[in-house]
Amino acid sequence: MKILFVADPLESFQIYKDTTFSMMREAQKRGHTLSACAPKDIMWQRGGVVTAFVRDIRLTGQSPDWFSAEQQAPNERPAALKEFDAVVMRKDPPFNSEFFYATHLLEQAEREGARVFNKPRALRDHPEKLAILEWPQFIGPTLVTRDAQDIRRFHAEHQDIILKPLDGMGGTGIFRVKEDGLNLGAIIETLNKNGAETVMVQAFLPAIAQGDKRVLVIGGQPVPYSLARIPQGGEVRGNLAAGGKGVAQPLTVRDREIAQAIGPVLAERGLLLMGLDVIGEHLTEINVTSPTCFQEIFDQTGFDVAAMFVQALEAAQAEVHSGAGPSGIN
């Protein structure tokens, strides 16, 4: 296959832990050819098709010069997205207006014949904080609101709460307010900007001490190991970007129950890869933009998540190409 990765600049990758790099490495190992671009490199003009200015790359197996590219800025090669066998959307959050616009360009490319994973419409329809609302049986006490009084009532009921913005990533903007309500007013003002922005509020889950587990689901099937991201020091956040320690562990019965209920449904909608965040017994987020933790799981368990992903990508692309794929993938 010819695979185009839409991602952050390659020069910014930290290849010892980068999931997109592990995907690329496995794809090249299996004989596929690689190209890369950023969302800013995608364009459409009337009379033409959605085109990206791409670099054709090959991994070198060395660091820091871990790839070689046939093209360099500003001389990237223009290529229609429909010319690739698979376009893998791996742009990191935040899910902002530019990410939103990129999904529209990618969806136009689909109408022209491109095969995009994860499906652009599915990326738009499943914002990572709000996607959990479809499965209330798996989540803890949760409130989504712009109203400060709603938040105060929720705090009075649950005493110990977590507040977070809907567009955050890597644990940014997350606050805990305990029973004393210290700084609750200031935190509400910071997050909801005087009622202008929506906030998610959840009851604090003490099981965070054992880790915020990332449960990966590929092609509707759970990876058999999660990565528990365990808060360190006085932190309440387990995110690796916030200093959490990643510990791979086999899925629990509850992890598997959640993954097997949600995974096939979202795979049918076009989400080839997703990351479910689970604290204790409760689902807290569904990550669909660029789920990570492939390399940490492989390094600690030997389970090759990248191989599972590329195999699923090959199968999905073959189904789409033959017209035999499920309705959510076509």
Side-chain angles (χ1 to χ4, degrees), residues 228-291:
R229 295 156 302 170
I230 302 171
Q232 300 296 295
E235 268 289 353
V236 70
R237 302 171 297 173
N239 309 74
L240 299 183
K245 178 182 178 182
V247 178
Q249 56 191 30
L251 296 188
T252 67
V253 172
R254 179 63 166 178
D255 296 340
R256 195 171 292 276
E257 177 190 2
I258 294 171
Q260 290 177 338
I262 296 174
V265 175
L266 295 190
E268 181 71 17
R269 296 177 190 171
L271 292 171
L272 183 68
L273 169 64
M274 69 200 81
L276 311 179
D277 287 353
V278 179
I279 297 176
E281 301 287 297
H282 299 292
L283 175 72
T284 61
E285 292 186 16
I286 300 176
N287 294 268
V288 301
T289 51
S290 60

Side-chain angles (χ1 to χ4, degrees), residues 13 32 40 68 70 73 76 86 93 122 127 143 158 166 168 199 210 213 217 221 255 284 297 299-301 319 329-330:
F13 282 26
H32 304 306
K40 69 179 180 61
S68 61
E70 294 186 22
E76 298 95 339
L143 167 71
H158 296 286
L166 296 183
V199 179
Q210 286 75 55
K213 294 176 285 186
V217 181
Q221 298 300 315
D255 296 340
T284 61
I297 291 173
D299 290 343
Q300 294 184 39
T301 72
E319 288 176 347
I329 299 294
N330 282 333

Side-chain angles (χ1 to χ4, degrees), residues 11-261:
E11 290 79 7
S12 70
F13 282 26
Q14 299 182 58
I15 62 171
Y16 72 94
K17 66 175 184 177
D18 194 284
T19 288
T20 304
F21 168 75
S22 69
M23 292 175 174
M24 291 177 169
R25 181 175 56 193
E26 178 64 22
Q28 180 172 289
K29 176 182 173 182
R30 297 169 74 91
H32 304 306
T33 59
L34 311 178
S35 299
C37 74
K40 69 179 180 61
D41 299 316
I42 301 174
M43 59 84 71
W44 176 88
Q45 184 171 339
R46 192 184 72 170
V49 296
V50 177
T51 298
F53 292 87
V54 309
R55 290 193 285 177
D56 301 308
I57 65 171
R58 184 163 186 82
L59 309 191
T60 65
Q62 302 173 354
S63 182
D65 299 321
W66 59 271
F67 72 94
S68 61
E70 294 186 22
Q71 301 84 15
Q72 299 293 342
N75 299 311
E76 298 95 339
R77 174 175 69 88
L81 268 63
K82 67 178 184 178
E83 295 176 1
F84 294 93
D85 297 297
V87 177
V88 180
M89 178 54 162
R90 287 290 301 173
K91 175 67 180 72
D92 282 344
F95 189 103
N96 55 17
S97 294
E98 288 303 323
F99 190 101
F100 182 79
Y101 303 147
T103 67
H104 280 287
L105 287 171
L106 291 171
E107 191 168 20
Q108 174 60 26
E110 285 187 317
R111 289 190 283 267
E112 298 163 357
R115 295 159 292 277
V116 184
F117 309 92
N118 284 328
K119 192 173 180 68
R121 180 177 293 274
L123 290 174
R124 288 200 306 275
D125 287 350
H126 299 86
E128 302 192 330
K129 303 291 191 299
L130 295 179
I132 65 172
L133 306 189
E134 189 173 349
W135 285 278
Q137 69 272 33
F138 295 132
I139 69 178
T142 298
L143 167 71
V144 179
T145 185
R146 291 167 60 176
D147 189 276
Q149 290 308 310
D150 289 340
I151 299 173
R152 291 185 183 278
R153 284 192 292 269
F154 190 86
H155 176 259
E157 178 182 358
H158 296 286
Q159 301 294 301
D160 196 351
I161 63 173
I162 295 290
L163 303 93
K164 53 189 175 182
L166 296 183
D167 60 354
M169 59 170 288
T172 58
I174 292 179
F175 294 90
R176 179 183 180 184
V177 178
K178 298 183 181 181
E179 184 177 0
D180 58 14
L182 187 64
N183 290 328
L184 179 59
I187 292 168
I188 293 173
E189 292 170 8
T190 298
L191 291 180
N192 87 338
K193 296 179 171 56
N194 295 315
E197 295 189 8
T198 303
V199 179
M200 175 169 278
V201 192
Q202 295 174 308
F204 176 74
L205 300 174
I208 186 64
Q210 286 75 55
D212 180 356
K213 294 176 285 186
R214 170 60 54 83
V215 178
L216 293 166
V217 181
I218 298 173
Q221 298 300 315
V223 171
Y225 297 90
S226 71
L227 190 76
R229 295 156 302 170
I230 302 171
Q232 300 296 295
E235 268 289 353
V236 70
R237 302 171 297 173
N239 309 74
L240 299 183
K245 178 182 178 182
V247 178
Q249 56 191 30
L251 296 188
T252 67
V253 172
R254 179 63 166 178
D255 296 340
R256 195 171 292 276
E257 177 190 2
I258 294 171
Q260 290 177 338

